[in-house]
Amino acid sequence: MSIQGIYTIKSNCALTADVFKMVLEGDTSAITASGQFINIQLEGRFLRRPISVCDYDETTITIIYKVVGEGTEQMSALKAGERLDCLVGLGNGYDISKSEKPLVIGGGVGIPPLYNLTKRLIANGQKPIVILGFNTKSEIFYFDEFKALGCEIRVTTVDGSFGTKGFVTDAMDSDYDYFYTCGPMPMFRAIESVAKTSGQFSFEERMGCGFGACMGCSCKTKDGYKRICKDGPVLVREEIVW
């Protein structure tokens, strides 16, 4: 069950030229799974901004977002001490009970929700291999944070400036029994074409309400239409219509 509340900004800083990390303080009790998201009300904006949860604890929520429009640009200028109206605990999140040796595959700003997922997998006794995909070295973020978790980390860059040259699929040569992923649609299609097992995809969609009322983010699945904000954002490979 999601909740609406007022959250105080503890910090808001740049990780790269256009990717920012914000830590919010407030009630986190509605977050129950990695991959859920929050929906932020910004002053002067009609629609809230949905942002995935990177990490959380008893009192704080960490989000990582990319400046891609006026809303996220407005967010990047917010200061510590300012307060935000947020809907928290939205979406279904990942089911971590499916594997022993999973691949965790992220591309660009699809990477943040995979951080808490990886923490949970490790705490659950699983042994994930994390693949992080970027265009170039200057865009890399959270590499050290993932590495500190103690699992194997593979980085790919399209231009070869760091790690393996190519795409995340070029690093999927492991013996794995499941996969979890979040990122852009072209990456999803590439993973779908080479993946050897079942897995879970976390979709990024434009949303109106964020909690299933407006039907604006509906997508077709093999089980009928589903709302990405309510029935997702995580969908299982076998139900997705490509």
Side-chain angles (χ1 to χ4, degrees):
M1 180 69 69
S2 62
I3 59 173
Q4 181 175 1
I6 303 299
Y7 293 75
T8 302
I9 299 173
K10 290 189 67 176
S11 62
N12 189 29
C13 60
L15 298 180
T16 70
D18 56 5
V19 174
F20 286 74
K21 172 184 175 181
M22 180 185 290
V23 180
L24 298 165
E25 188 169 34
D27 186 352
T28 67
S29 61
I31 303 174
T32 59
S34 306
Q36 290 182 295
F37 65 97
I38 68 174
N39 221 2
I40 302 172
Q41 180 68 60
L42 297 174
E43 185 177 353
R45 306 288 172 186
F46 177 68
L47 294 178
R48 292 174 180 264
R49 264 52 184 185
I51 308 290
S52 59
V53 174
C54 173
D55 200 15
Y56 67 98
D57 56 26
E58 290 80 4
T59 59
T60 65
I61 301 170
T62 299
I63 59 173
I64 293 176
Y65 60 96
K66 184 176 182 178
V67 175
V68 294
E70 293 180 355
T72 43
E73 185 175 0
Q74 183 176 337
M75 284 177 58
S76 71
L78 297 173
K79 306 297 183 184
E82 294 189 64
R83 306 177 81 194
L84 291 172
D85 181 319
C86 301
L87 295 171
V88 174
L90 299 172
N92 63 348
Y94 292 102
D95 179 352
I96 66 169
S97 67
K98 301 295 185 180
S99 66
E100 294 183 4
K101 299 185 296 180
L103 291 182
V104 175
I105 312 163
V109 286
I111 287 170
L114 302 179
Y115 178 72
N116 183 263
L117 170 66
T118 302
K119 286 175 65 175
R120 285 197 167 195
L121 289 168
I122 293 171
N124 200 42
Q126 289 144 281
K127 297 181 179 180
I129 295 174
V130 178
I131 303 172
L132 307 177
F134 302 91
N135 289 315
T136 188
K137 183 178 180 179
S138 64
E139 296 181 1
I140 294 174
F141 64 89
Y142 249 57
F143 171 75
D144 290 337
E145 286 82 354
F146 273 96
K147 191 174 182 180
L149 297 179
C151 57
E152 182 180 345
I153 310 295
R154 302 174 183 176
V155 176
T156 67
T157 51
V158 176
D159 65 1
S161 55
F162 188 90
T164 300
K165 182 176 182 179
F167 303 98
V168 293
T169 47
D170 294 308
M172 290 177 60
D173 57 351
S174 303
D175 178 21
Y176 59 96
D177 61 2
Y178 204 76
F179 67 87
Y180 301 90
T181 185
C182 185
M185 187 59 72
M187 186 189 86
F188 280 0
R189 294 185 186 281
I191 291 171
E192 167 63 19
S193 70
V194 302
K196 299 179 290 186
T197 69
S198 181
Q200 296 171 36
F201 294 79
S202 181
F203 284 80
E204 301 169 340
E205 281 286 336
R206 294 186 67 86
M207 297 176 186
C209 66
F211 48 84
C214 73
M215 309 299 288
C217 61
S218 296
C219 69
K220 187 177 182 180
T221 74
K222 294 176 183 178
D223 301 315
Y225 281 90
K226 291 191 174 183
R227 299 158 294 179
I228 292 299
C229 70
K230 181 76 172 179
D231 307 308
V234 177
L235 299 178
V236 177
R237 181 184 188 185
E238 288 75 16
E239 67 182 311
I240 299 168
V241 175
W242 300 99

PDB file of all heavy atoms in Angstrom, residues 25 82 86 101 103 117 121 126 136 175 179-180 189 227 241:
ATOM      1  N   GLU A  25      14.421  12.294   3.405  1.00  0.00           N
ATOM      2  CA  GLU A  25      14.177  11.772   4.746  1.00  0.00           C
ATOM      3  C   GLU A  25      12.680  11.776   5.029  1.00  0.00           C
ATOM      4  O   GLU A  25      12.002  12.774   4.778  1.00  0.00           O
ATOM      5  CB  GLU A  25      14.912  12.607   5.787  1.00  0.00           C
ATOM      6  CG  GLU A  25      14.880  12.020   7.185  1.00  0.00           C
ATOM      7  CD  GLU A  25      15.833  12.727   8.130  1.00  0.00           C
ATOM      8  OE1 GLU A  25      16.002  13.954   7.972  1.00  0.00           O
ATOM      9  OE2 GLU A  25      16.401  12.063   9.007  1.00  0.00           O
ATOM     10  N   GLU A  82      14.895  21.627   1.808  1.00  0.00           N
ATOM     11  CA  GLU A  82      13.617  21.825   1.134  1.00  0.00           C
ATOM     12  C   GLU A  82      12.777  20.559   1.269  1.00  0.00           C
ATOM     13  O   GLU A  82      13.287  19.461   1.495  1.00  0.00           O
ATOM     14  CB  GLU A  82      13.832  22.191  -0.338  1.00  0.00           C
ATOM     15  CG  GLU A  82      14.511  23.539  -0.535  1.00  0.00           C
ATOM     16  CD  GLU A  82      14.515  23.973  -1.994  1.00  0.00           C
ATOM     17  OE1 GLU A  82      13.419  24.202  -2.553  1.00  0.00           O
ATOM     18  OE2 GLU A  82      15.616  24.061  -2.570  1.00  0.00           O
ATOM     19  N   CYS A  86       5.551  13.555  -1.791  1.00  0.00           N
ATOM     20  CA  CYS A  86       5.847  12.337  -2.559  1.00  0.00           C
ATOM     21  C   CYS A  86       4.820  11.244  -2.292  1.00  0.00           C
ATOM     22  O   CYS A  86       4.355  11.077  -1.163  1.00  0.00           O
ATOM     23  CB  CYS A  86       7.228  11.789  -2.190  1.00  0.00           C
ATOM     24  SG  CYS A  86       8.603  12.920  -2.472  1.00  0.00           S
ATOM     25  N   LYS A 101      21.965 -17.929  -9.144  1.00  0.00           N
ATOM     26  CA  LYS A 101      23.080 -17.262  -9.824  1.00  0.00           C
ATOM     27  C   LYS A 101      22.537 -16.321 -10.898  1.00  0.00           C
ATOM     28  O   LYS A 101      22.654 -16.593 -12.090  1.00  0.00           O
ATOM     29  CB  LYS A 101      24.015 -18.299 -10.457  1.00  0.00           C
ATOM     30  CG  LYS A 101      24.665 -19.257  -9.472  1.00  0.00           C
ATOM     31  CD  LYS A 101      25.670 -20.161 -10.182  1.00  0.00           C
ATOM     32  CE  LYS A 101      24.984 -21.048 -11.195  1.00  0.00           C
ATOM     33  NZ  LYS A 101      25.939 -21.950 -11.895  1.00  0.00           N
ATOM     34  N   LEU A 103      21.927 -12.875 -13.279  1.00  0.00           N
ATOM     35  CA  LEU A 103      22.546 -11.682 -13.845  1.00  0.00           C
ATOM     36  C   LEU A 103      21.666 -10.489 -13.495  1.00  0.00           C
ATOM     37  O   LEU A 103      20.439 -10.567 -13.585  1.00  0.00           O
ATOM     38  CB  LEU A 103      22.651 -11.787 -15.369  1.00  0.00           C
ATOM     39  CG  LEU A 103      23.618 -12.801 -15.969  1.00  0.00           C
ATOM     40  CD1 LEU A 103      23.595 -12.691 -17.493  1.00  0.00           C
ATOM     41  CD2 LEU A 103      25.033 -12.599 -15.447  1.00  0.00           C
ATOM     42  N   LEU A 117      18.345  -3.949  -5.287  1.00  0.00           N
ATOM     43  CA  LEU A 117      18.094  -5.337  -5.677  1.00  0.00           C
ATOM     44  C   LEU A 117      19.315  -6.204  -5.426  1.00  0.00           C
ATOM     45  O   LEU A 117      19.210  -7.307  -4.855  1.00  0.00           O
ATOM     46  CB  LEU A 117      17.705  -5.401  -7.151  1.00  0.00           C
ATOM     47  CG  LEU A 117      17.643  -6.805  -7.769  1.00  0.00           C
ATOM     48  CD1 LEU A 117      16.523  -7.624  -7.141  1.00  0.00           C
ATOM     49  CD2 LEU A 117      17.482  -6.730  -9.275  1.00  0.00           C
ATOM     50  N   LEU A 121      19.648  -9.475  -3.017  1.00  0.00           N
ATOM     51  CA  LEU A 121      20.035 -10.780  -3.520  1.00  0.00           C
ATOM     52  C   LEU A 121      21.191 -11.353  -2.703  1.00  0.00           C
ATOM     53  O   LEU A 121      21.184 -12.531  -2.321  1.00  0.00           O
ATOM     54  CB  LEU A 121      20.426 -10.683  -4.992  1.00  0.00           C
ATOM     55  CG  LEU A 121      19.287 -10.432  -5.990  1.00  0.00           C
ATOM     56  CD1 LEU A 121      19.863 -10.072  -7.358  1.00  0.00           C
ATOM     57  CD2 LEU A 121      18.371 -11.642  -6.089  1.00  0.00           C
ATOM     58  N   GLN A 126      22.159 -15.306  -2.518  1.00  0.00           N
ATOM     59  CA  GLN A 126      22.370 -15.490  -3.945  1.00  0.00           C
ATOM     60  C   GLN A 126      23.688 -14.830  -4.377  1.00  0.00           C
ATOM     61  O   GLN A 126      24.264 -14.025  -3.647  1.00  0.00           O
ATOM     62  CB  GLN A 126      21.176 -14.918  -4.714  1.00  0.00           C
ATOM     63  CG  GLN A 126      19.914 -15.763  -4.535  1.00  0.00           C
ATOM     64  CD  GLN A 126      18.635 -14.949  -4.487  1.00  0.00           C
ATOM     65  OE1 GLN A 126      18.316 -14.368  -3.452  1.00  0.00           O
ATOM     66  NE2 GLN A 126      17.900 -14.912  -5.589  1.00  0.00           N
ATOM     67  N   THR A 136      29.811   5.876 -22.517  1.00  0.00           N
ATOM     68  CA  THR A 136      31.210   6.265 -22.437  1.00  0.00           C
ATOM     69  C   THR A 136      31.625   6.402 -20.973  1.00  0.00           C
ATOM     70  O   THR A 136      30.775   6.452 -20.065  1.00  0.00           O
ATOM     71  CB  THR A 136      31.444   7.596 -23.177  1.00  0.00           C
ATOM     72  OG1 THR A 136      32.847   7.871 -23.245  1.00  0.00           O
ATOM     73  CG2 THR A 136      30.715   8.760 -22.503  1.00  0.00           C
ATOM     74  N   ASP A 175      27.412 -18.437 -16.857  1.00  0.00           N
ATOM     75  CA  ASP A 175      26.496 -19.506 -16.495  1.00  0.00           C
ATOM     76  C   ASP A 175      25.538 -18.930 -15.458  1.00  0.00           C
ATOM     77  O   ASP A 175      25.882 -18.780 -14.290  1.00  0.00           O
ATOM     78  CB  ASP A 175      27.269 -20.692 -15.913  1.00  0.00           C
ATOM     79  CG  ASP A 175      26.360 -21.821 -15.483  1.00  0.00           C
ATOM     80  OD1 ASP A 175      25.214 -21.871 -15.969  1.00  0.00           O
ATOM     81  OD2 ASP A 175      26.778 -22.625 -14.638  1.00  0.00           O
ATOM     82  N   PHE A 179      17.657 -13.680 -14.788  1.00  0.00           N
ATOM     83  CA  PHE A 179      18.197 -12.327 -14.923  1.00  0.00           C
ATOM     84  C   PHE A 179      17.166 -11.297 -14.479  1.00  0.00           C
ATOM     85  O   PHE A 179      15.952 -11.544 -14.497  1.00  0.00           O
ATOM     86  CB  PHE A 179      18.650 -12.042 -16.361  1.00  0.00           C
ATOM     87  CG  PHE A 179      17.540 -11.979 -17.382  1.00  0.00           C
ATOM     88  CD1 PHE A 179      16.851 -10.795 -17.629  1.00  0.00           C
ATOM     89  CD2 PHE A 179      17.188 -13.112 -18.105  1.00  0.00           C
ATOM     90  CE1 PHE A 179      15.827 -10.744 -18.563  1.00  0.00           C
ATOM     91  CE2 PHE A 179      16.175 -13.074 -19.055  1.00  0.00           C
ATOM     92  CZ  PHE A 179      15.483 -11.882 -19.281  1.00  0.00           C
ATOM     93  N   TYR A 180      17.694 -10.168 -14.032  1.00  0.00           N
ATOM     94  CA  TYR A 180      16.897  -9.000 -13.674  1.00  0.00           C
ATOM     95  C   TYR A 180      17.464  -7.825 -14.452  1.00  0.00           C
ATOM     96  O   TYR A 180      18.686  -7.662 -14.529  1.00  0.00           O
ATOM     97  CB  TYR A 180      17.004  -8.697 -12.176  1.00  0.00           C
ATOM     98  CG  TYR A 180      16.565  -9.816 -11.268  1.00  0.00           C
ATOM     99  CD1 TYR A 180      17.477 -10.785 -10.833  1.00  0.00           C
ATOM    100  CD2 TYR A 180      15.248  -9.907 -10.818  1.00  0.00           C
ATOM    101  CE1 TYR A 180      17.082 -11.813  -9.990  1.00  0.00           C
ATOM    102  CE2 TYR A 180      14.849 -10.935  -9.967  1.00  0.00           C
ATOM    103  CZ  TYR A 180      15.764 -11.875  -9.551  1.00  0.00           C
ATOM    104  OH  TYR A 180      15.366 -12.893  -8.722  1.00  0.00           O
ATOM    105  N   ARG A 189      15.275  -5.246 -25.868  1.00  0.00           N
ATOM    106  CA  ARG A 189      15.102  -6.082 -27.063  1.00  0.00           C
ATOM    107  C   ARG A 189      16.358  -6.917 -27.337  1.00  0.00           C
ATOM    108  O   ARG A 189      16.271  -8.076 -27.748  1.00  0.00           O
ATOM    109  CB  ARG A 189      14.756  -5.215 -28.263  1.00  0.00           C
ATOM    110  CG  ARG A 189      13.394  -4.527 -28.148  1.00  0.00           C
ATOM    111  CD  ARG A 189      13.026  -3.779 -29.419  1.00  0.00           C
ATOM    112  NE  ARG A 189      11.802  -3.014 -29.258  1.00  0.00           N
ATOM    113  CZ  ARG A 189      10.567  -3.509 -29.312  1.00  0.00           C
ATOM    114  NH1 ARG A 189      10.407  -4.803 -29.548  1.00  0.00           N
ATOM    115  NH2 ARG A 189       9.511  -2.741 -29.156  1.00  0.00           N
ATOM    116  N   ARG A 227      -1.077  -2.119 -16.447  1.00  0.00           N
ATOM    117  CA  ARG A 227      -0.613  -0.766 -16.173  1.00  0.00           C
ATOM    118  C   ARG A 227       0.802  -0.839 -15.603  1.00  0.00           C
ATOM    119  O   ARG A 227       1.007  -1.474 -14.576  1.00  0.00           O
ATOM    120  CB  ARG A 227      -1.555  -0.072 -15.195  1.00  0.00           C
ATOM    121  CG  ARG A 227      -2.986   0.065 -15.710  1.00  0.00           C
ATOM    122  CD  ARG A 227      -3.982   0.236 -14.567  1.00  0.00           C
ATOM    123  NE  ARG A 227      -4.032  -0.978 -13.747  1.00  0.00           N
ATOM    124  CZ  ARG A 227      -4.798  -1.101 -12.663  1.00  0.00           C
ATOM    125  NH1 ARG A 227      -5.561  -0.101 -12.283  1.00  0.00           N
ATOM    126  NH2 ARG A 227      -4.783  -2.223 -11.969  1.00  0.00           N
ATOM    127  N   VAL A 241       4.812  -8.938 -24.558  1.00  0.00           N
ATOM    128  CA  VAL A 241       4.610  -8.957 -26.002  1.00  0.00           C
ATOM    129  C   VAL A 241       5.588  -7.962 -26.624  1.00  0.00           C
ATOM    130  O   VAL A 241       5.486  -6.764 -26.389  1.00  0.00           O
ATOM    131  CB  VAL A 241       3.157  -8.582 -26.380  1.00  0.00           C
ATOM    132  CG1 VAL A 241       3.009  -8.488 -27.895  1.00  0.00           C
ATOM    133  CG2 VAL A 241       2.182  -9.586 -25.795  1.00  0.00           C
TER     134      VAL A 241
END
